[in-house]
């Protein structure tokens, strides 16, 4: 699994011109799933997301996690994170899981994040044409691949 985490002061998902979900202070997480991903990847990434210290403390040092600041999470599936651009100019998405594999893992990630955060999270709609709006705070953007955890 690959994720892009963005610390935000606000983010939303718009589908068909209507706000589907929105958060204020927290993290926008873009999630890419491939066939080799497992529930272990979900558990590891969820812990990483909820415990990553990228919010400022009273001294202005990034020393607090999303839980410490009572932040929210917005999780959006994004198969394009697994794009291969080695050949030519048209990306290949062959490594991205098809919906029959990706949807159950996406749903497990939602449940795991809710368990680890201790509250409901906001999401997009898997496979939908979504417009994602955000105000990146910092800017702070971090990319994590669960295959590089060691």
């Amino acid at each position: 699994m690959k994720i892009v985490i963005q610390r935000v002061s606000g983010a939303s998902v718009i589908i068909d011109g209507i706000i589907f979900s929105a958060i204020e202070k927290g993290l926008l997480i873009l999630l890419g799933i491939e066939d080799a991903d497992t529930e272990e990847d979900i558990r590891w990434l969820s812990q990483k997301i909820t415990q990553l210290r990228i919010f400022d403390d009273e001294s202005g040092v990034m020393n607090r996690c999303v839980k410490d600041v009572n932040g929210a999470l917005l999780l959006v599936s994004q198969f394009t994170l697994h794009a291969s651009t080695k050949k030519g100019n048209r990306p290949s998405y062959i490594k991205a899981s098809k919906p029959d594999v990706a949807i159950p893992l996406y749903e497990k990630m939602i449940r795991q994040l809710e368990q680890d955060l201790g509250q409901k999270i906001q999401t997009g709609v898997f496979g939908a044409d979504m417009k994602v709006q955000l105000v990146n705070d910092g800017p702070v953007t971090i990319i994590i691949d669960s295959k590089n955890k060691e």
Side-chain angles (χ1 to χ4, degrees):
M1 288 184 170
K2 288 184 183 177
I3 59 171
V4 174
I5 298 174
Q6 294 180 303
R7 186 179 76 183
V8 298
S9 57
S12 63
V13 171
I14 300 168
I15 302 173
D16 295 329
I18 298 168
I19 296 175
F20 178 79
S21 59
I23 63 169
E24 293 184 3
K25 181 178 188 172
L27 300 174
L28 169 65
I29 303 127
L30 305 175
L31 172 69
I33 300 169
E34 64 181 344
D35 288 346
D37 292 330
T38 67
E39 290 189 33
E40 171 58 30
D41 293 302
I42 290 170
R43 285 188 296 273
W44 185 82
L45 278 173
S46 180
Q47 288 290 308
K48 194 58 91 168
I49 290 165
T50 57
Q51 296 179 13
L52 198 61
R53 298 184 318 179
I54 57 174
F55 290 90
D56 292 348
D57 63 16
E58 58 281 345
S59 300
V61 177
M62 285 196 281
N63 202 27
R64 291 192 171 152
C65 68
V66 68
K67 291 163 64 168
D68 295 337
V69 299
N70 295 315
L73 298 181
L74 174 54
L75 179 70
V76 177
S77 62
Q78 188 168 353
F79 75 93
T80 60
L81 292 180
H82 286 290
S84 174
T85 57
K86 289 182 182 180
K87 295 181 183 178
N89 293 316
R90 183 177 177 172
S92 168
Y93 304 106
I94 196 146
K95 287 186 72 176
S97 290
K98 302 287 187 260
D100 62 320
V101 172
I103 290 172
L105 290 173
Y106 175 68
E107 291 171 349
K108 287 178 183 178
M109 177 61 93
I110 293 168
R111 290 190 299 273
Q112 187 69 55
L113 284 167
E114 288 178 340
Q115 178 181 325
D116 291 344
L117 188 63
Q119 67 183 30
K120 184 170 174 36
I121 70 164
Q122 298 298 307
T123 67
V125 174
F126 190 95
D129 180 17
M130 297 175 276
K131 309 302 181 215
V132 179
Q133 295 181 338
L134 68 131
V135 177
N136 192 319
D137 179 21
V140 175
T141 301
I142 297 172
I143 301 168
I144 303 174
D145 187 332
S146 64
K147 302 305 183 244
N148 296 329
K149 61 184 162 219
E150 296 174 21

